[in-house]
Amino acid sequence: MDMYTTVLVIVVALAAIAVAFFAAKKTRKTKGLDSGVPTTEEARLEDSFARGEITESEYRRQVKELKEKQNKNV
């Protein structure tokens, strides 16, 4: 291979690596939205209730407390 072909191969390889890196980085950022991990306290409570970890009355009590706390902070 001549020098220009070698440089071209290196540049294309580096570009492919950069594209793969940024695509993976973007996937990691957006994955949190779809990973099943609740992003808010209320979502965490909904998830716990849906899995049967807390009762309906416990869920409602905690949501009520959370909303009261949020209203105090506003």
Side-chain angles (χ1 to χ4, degrees):
M1 282 197 284
D2 64 351
M3 187 173 130
Y4 295 110
T5 306
T6 304
V7 170
L8 180 63
V9 168
I10 292 171
V11 168
V12 169
L14 289 174
I17 291 169
V19 168
F21 174 78
F22 288 113
K25 187 175 180 181
K26 184 176 180 180
T27 300
R28 281 193 303 266
K29 274 186 178 180
T30 58
K31 191 174 182 181
L33 298 176
D34 300 325
S35 66
V37 177
T39 56
T40 65
E41 184 67 19
E42 191 168 351
R44 185 191 63 76
L45 289 171
E46 289 173 6
D47 190 50
S48 293
F49 175 61
R51 284 184 278 145
E53 296 174 351
I54 59 176
T55 63
E56 182 178 356
S57 60
E58 182 68 13
Y59 166 76
R60 292 184 186 280
R61 183 186 64 76
Q62 288 186 25
V63 168
K64 182 180 175 184
E65 289 175 4
L66 181 64
K67 290 186 187 277
E68 288 172 357
K69 186 191 303 184
Q70 288 172 347
N71 287 336
K72 285 181 182 179
N73 292 335
V74 173

